[in-house]
Amino acid sequence: MHIDDLRACGLSDAQAAALWPRIDKAMALPPAERFLELARNVLTPDQPFALHQLLYKTHSADGIVWAPSKDDVEQAHATQLMREGRFDSHEALHAWSATERPAFWQRVVEKLSIRFQIPSAQVVDAEADPSSVHFFPGSRLNIAESCFGAARSAPAIVYQREGGKLQSIRYGELLRTTRQVAASLRIMGLQPGARIAIDMPMTAESIAIYLGIVWAGCSVIAIADSFAAEEIATRLTLGQAQLIFTQDVIVRGGKALPLYERVVAAGSPPAVVVAEGQAGLNVSLRRGDISWDEFIGKEEIDAEPCAPTTHSNVLFSSGTTGTPKAIPWNHITPIKCAADGYLHHDIHPGEVVAWPTNLGWMMGPWLIYASLINRATIALYYGAPTGADFLRFVQDAQVNMLGVVPSLVRTWRATDALRGLNFGALRALSSTGECSNPDDMHWLMAQVGYRPVLEYCGGTELAGGYLAGSMLQAARPACFTTPALGLDMVILDEEGAESDSGEAFLLPPSVGMSTELLGGEHNAVYYEDVPTYRGERTRRHGDRVERIGPAHYRVHGRADDAMNLGGIKVSSAEIERVLNAIDGVGETAAIAVAPSAGGPSQLVVYAVLDRPIDDLIIALQTTLRSQLNPLFKIADVVTVDALPRTASNKVMRRVLRDQYTLR
């Protein structure tokens, strides 16, 4: 490398001359330390990213972009657990957590101060099949109680509306509203076990409603606020909801988008409607529906004691048949959320956690439990997270842990949205929902002063991750560093042999792993025809994973016919069902194609037409957005005379994926 290379990155002669001696000095260090020294003491967010890329590609050992400092190690929760167990490495800690699971999970519930009204005599039913293990059998608890371990005066939520100012709600206030929601449900006649839907954006009210439903011993039917009426109806039916909480409208970019209107069009049960703003409801209510002010009373009740297997939440994830899988969480499941927050994201009491998400997706409840059980503060921005306004909120709220979706990072990069902001409070970021692009994640780390992006991959049926990052392990962009503590996984090739590249299979049991599906065959979905590994039965997950060297992993999308689009899991069958109904479309096949450089999957549709259709991609896109989800975007449409099929007439989507190249 020469000083001219610095000029080629966009530096002036004076800037290049001033920087060159500092870069040259770093070259005297051992190769493994050179880029880390440059990242910590030479590179800054206001320098051209081309310079960061040049120095990274030239001087990074094994692609490492960040390594924990002494302070990172000293304050990490995982370090404390290692010292208590006398483990000399994170790898040793993981091995213990995966082989001595009762001891690990007992230690976790002690660290998290999980409240049991009646404790269990054992951590796990040792006689149960691994696919149907129940943790803490015989106990009684209400997991919502464990969300209120912080001081009543500590901030539980900080939030901001578009164009508004920061506001906060303290733990004592949130607890009072939670208890009032539960009491008001009882007054309405809803008893423990009732299923109650929430179709709302992530707000202070929706969090109190969520916790109040759980507090009452009822079960939340979680529906994402972006779904069209037909998809809302499907989830209400699958969940058998008796009541729904919703909001009149959603404000995004200054525009009021209808929500209550879609809930009504879905034929919902009676609704409690929250006003988006301070001026009251923006809609007229149908007969039988009531406003939030009419619903909420001053009476409070204690938390309902529940068996550990009592449902607390029903979430939906895509099935390969086109019908969403209804996955129940119970009162033990959220311990997994809090454990990942404690050990992998290293969330500390008093810290501020922001993660743009929704209660209809796993990360919504995850954010509640991972933050509040760890006595942290949830940061909520009520507007769109795509622009500088959200990032200014992150700055002003002094966010310490920021969750992202890779497509969101790509948008920030394209608009240079982080420029001029100060993220000095950030200790770490985390990325989940879809495959990360290494270059985008390096850009993000460079923009926040080289704090790590901890990759995090899992699912609704796990209540957290099976692959993750750690504040104790060096990071490569878009790479994972460890299987999640408390469980294990193996990569198997198509012949079922262990491999460095193939499909990820999990080794049950673990807290958080689902054991049932509402109206579905759980064993058929996760355990039927799975390979064994060293005599153990594995559990199907469906991701394609590659091991990179001894210490890193990369995920390459789905091995089945599901896909992640903008952080939302959806099946090919769901998309095809909607598109096949278009007049003139004979049949379609939807596939997810990974860009050659890595990153979020792109939706490609193969279409067999009965007749020519003008502006085909527009017609398909419009239908997809109106009938399924407005966040889904079609990258390309390919018309064909016929789709490839097996002898049993199944569409061979894998053949289409293998032959397609993004244009």
Side-chain angles (χ1 to χ4, degrees):
M1 194 176 74
H2 189 271
I3 191 170
D4 288 342
D5 296 320
L6 305 187
R7 299 187 184 97
C9 291
L11 297 184
S12 67
D13 289 347
Q15 289 171 327
L19 208 57
W20 181 254
R22 301 174 65 192
I23 296 172
D24 193 50
K25 182 179 179 181
M27 297 309 99
L29 295 171
E33 299 177 24
R34 290 173 186 171
F35 183 75
L36 298 177
E37 169 64 19
L38 293 169
R40 289 171 182 153
N41 297 311
V42 176
L43 292 169
T44 60
D46 59 336
Q47 293 165 341
F49 182 55
L51 175 66
H52 293 254
Q53 291 174 303
L54 171 67
L55 296 179
Y56 173 64
K57 292 174 182 177
T58 307
H59 299 301
S60 174
D62 298 324
I64 301 299
V65 73
W66 173 86
S69 67
K70 183 178 180 180
D71 286 345
D72 292 326
V73 172
E74 283 299 314
Q75 69 180 358
H77 288 131
T79 298
Q80 183 181 7
L81 208 58
M82 286 170 56
R83 287 174 177 164
E84 292 172 358
R86 298 183 179 179
F87 302 114
D88 60 4
S89 67
H90 192 279
E91 290 76 15
L93 174 64
H94 173 262
W96 169 73
S97 76
T99 54
E100 302 293 337
R101 300 189 192 195
F104 170 77
W105 287 109
Q106 180 61 41
R107 186 74 60 85
V108 165
V109 299
E110 292 168 359
K111 292 290 185 185
L112 297 174
S113 300
I114 299 300
R115 297 183 183 180
F116 287 93
Q117 296 173 6
I118 300 176
S120 175
Q122 55 185 337
V123 175
V124 63
D125 180 2
E127 303 299 320
D129 183 280
S131 65
S132 57
V133 160
H134 295 301
F135 284 82
F136 304 99
S139 65
R140 289 293 182 272
L141 77 160
N142 188 302
I143 194 60
E145 284 192 296
S146 295
C147 292
F148 295 98
R152 299 294 171 86
S153 60
I157 301 170
V158 294
Y159 66 96
Q160 183 178 319
R161 290 181 168 85
E162 282 191 351
K165 296 181 179 180
L166 279 176
Q167 301 182 67
S168 66
I169 293 175
R170 300 191 181 278
Y171 269 86
E173 298 173 87
L174 180 60
L175 175 60
R176 182 173 63 251
T177 307
T178 294
R179 293 167 58 92
Q180 290 171 342
V181 169
S184 298
L185 291 172
R186 286 284 191 276
I187 292 169
M188 291 185 74
L190 292 158
Q191 298 302 311
R195 293 178 181 170
I196 302 167
I198 302 178
D199 188 350
M200 294 179 66
M202 201 79 175
T203 64
E205 289 87 357
S206 67
I207 289 176
I209 290 165
Y210 181 96
L211 290 170
I213 293 170
V214 176
W215 190 275
C218 301
S219 181
V220 176
I221 306 301
I223 303 174
D225 62 359
S226 59
F227 274 123
E230 183 178 348
E231 296 303 314
I232 296 172
T234 297
R235 287 154 178 79
L236 290 172
T237 300
L238 286 171
Q240 299 179 334
Q242 298 168 247
L243 177 74
I244 186 169
F245 287 86
T246 189
Q247 192 166 287
D248 51 0
V249 295
I250 304 170
V251 174
R252 292 288 186 272
K255 296 180 180 179
L257 308 175
L259 182 55
Y260 174 69
E261 177 184 306
R262 279 187 272 134
V263 167
V264 171
S268 80
V272 177
V273 187
V274 179
E276 186 281 330
Q278 306 295 321
L281 291 174
N282 289 288
V283 294
S284 298
L285 301 184
R286 65 183 174 176
R287 185 184 300 273
D289 294 345
I290 59 174
S291 70
W292 167 254
D293 290 340
E294 293 174 288
F295 165 79
I296 194 72
K298 295 185 181 299
E299 187 174 334
E300 302 178 28
I301 61 172
D302 292 336
E304 179 71 21
C306 297
T309 54
T310 299
H311 294 174
S312 62
N313 195 176
V314 177
L315 289 147
F316 299 93
S317 184
S318 290
T320 56
T321 63
T323 300
K325 291 181 294 185
I327 302 171
W329 284 15
N330 58 40
H331 282 258
I332 296 298
T333 307
I335 296 174
K336 167 65 171 171
C337 308
D340 283 0
Y342 182 83
L343 290 168
H344 288 286
H345 299 87
D346 201 43
I347 298 170
H348 288 254
E351 291 192 328
V352 182
V353 184
W355 208 309
T357 184
N358 184 266
L359 290 172
W361 310 121
M362 185 209 86
M363 292 309 298
W366 187 98
L367 178 64
I368 293 173
Y369 292 118
S371 301
L372 299 184
I373 291 178
N374 283 299
R375 291 172 287 161
T377 302
I378 300 171
L380 303 175
Y381 182 67
Y382 289 7
T386 51
D389 288 345
F390 168 75
L391 293 164
R392 194 171 296 108
F393 164 76
V394 171
Q395 169 192 266
D396 296 346
Q398 294 288 287
V399 169
N400 306 110
M401 161 59 67
L402 174 62
V404 302
V405 176
S407 56
L408 184 59
V409 176
R410 178 162 290 183
T411 298
W412 292 344
R413 184 179 178 187
T415 58
D416 202 15
L418 280 73
R419 179 171 293 278
L421 298 176
N422 185 337
F423 300 101
L426 272 181
R427 285 205 307 115
L429 304 94
S430 186
S431 175
T432 194
E434 54 188 346
C435 297
S436 292
N437 175 277
D439 206 42
D440 287 344
M441 289 305 158
H442 180 200
W443 173 84
L444 180 59
M445 284 188 265
Q447 292 297 302
V448 298
Y450 281 98
R451 300 309 298 161
V453 175
L454 307 172
E455 294 290 330
Y456 189 50
C457 183
T460 306
E461 62 272 36
L462 304 180
Y466 73 93
L467 278 176
S470 167
M471 291 298 289
L472 300 184
Q473 296 172 303
R476 292 175 59 166
C479 286
F480 305 81
T481 58
T482 178
L485 292 166
L487 56 76
D488 212 348
M489 54 84 69
V490 61
I491 304 170
L492 302 178
D493 63 20
E494 293 185 357
E495 282 70 46
E498 190 170 3
S499 173
D500 285 337
S501 182
E503 185 173 345
F505 288 86
L506 310 183
L507 303 177
S510 172
V511 166
M513 280 188 179
S514 62
T515 57
E516 59 179 318
L517 295 174
L518 294 185
E521 294 292 331
H522 188 272
N523 274 9
V525 173
Y526 297 108
Y527 292 101
E528 193 171 90
D529 299 325
V530 295
T532 58
Y533 175 70
R534 297 180 179 176
E536 290 189 54
R537 189 184 191 188
T538 63
R539 173 180 168 125
R540 180 180 294 109
H541 188 72
D543 287 338
R544 292 182 290 116
V545 176
E546 176 188 8
R547 182 184 287 107
I548 304 172
H552 291 91
Y553 302 83
R554 183 163 285 156
V555 175
H556 295 288
R558 300 290 298 176
D560 55 19
D561 289 328
M563 60 186 82
N564 287 305
L565 302 176
I568 300 172
K569 188 179 175 186
V570 63
S571 73
S572 297
E574 286 181 271
I575 293 172
E576 292 159 7
R577 173 184 57 80
V578 170
L579 299 184
N580 290 348
I582 298 174
D583 184 33
V585 174
E587 60 178 342
T588 57
I591 62 170
V593 179
S596 57
S601 297
Q602 305 294 301
L603 173 59
V604 174
V605 176
Y606 280 77
V608 178
L609 302 181
D610 295 332
R611 59 174 178 77
I613 298 177
D614 294 334
D615 298 321
L616 177 60
I617 191 169
I618 295 175
L620 298 178
Q621 182 69 76
T622 301
T623 300
L624 186 63
R625 285 179 169 169
S626 63
Q627 298 299 316
L628 189 57
N629 196 307
L631 303 180
F632 295 158
K633 182 179 180 181
I634 299 172
D636 194 12
V637 175
V638 181
T639 56
V640 292
D641 294 331
L643 299 174
R645 295 183 178 275
T646 65
S648 60
N649 208 39
K650 292 183 178 179
V651 175
M652 295 189 289
R653 298 185 185 90
R654 180 169 293 183
V655 171
L656 297 174
R657 281 196 294 267
D658 290 344
Q659 73 183 28
Y660 183 83
T661 301
L662 276 173
R663 292 183 268 189

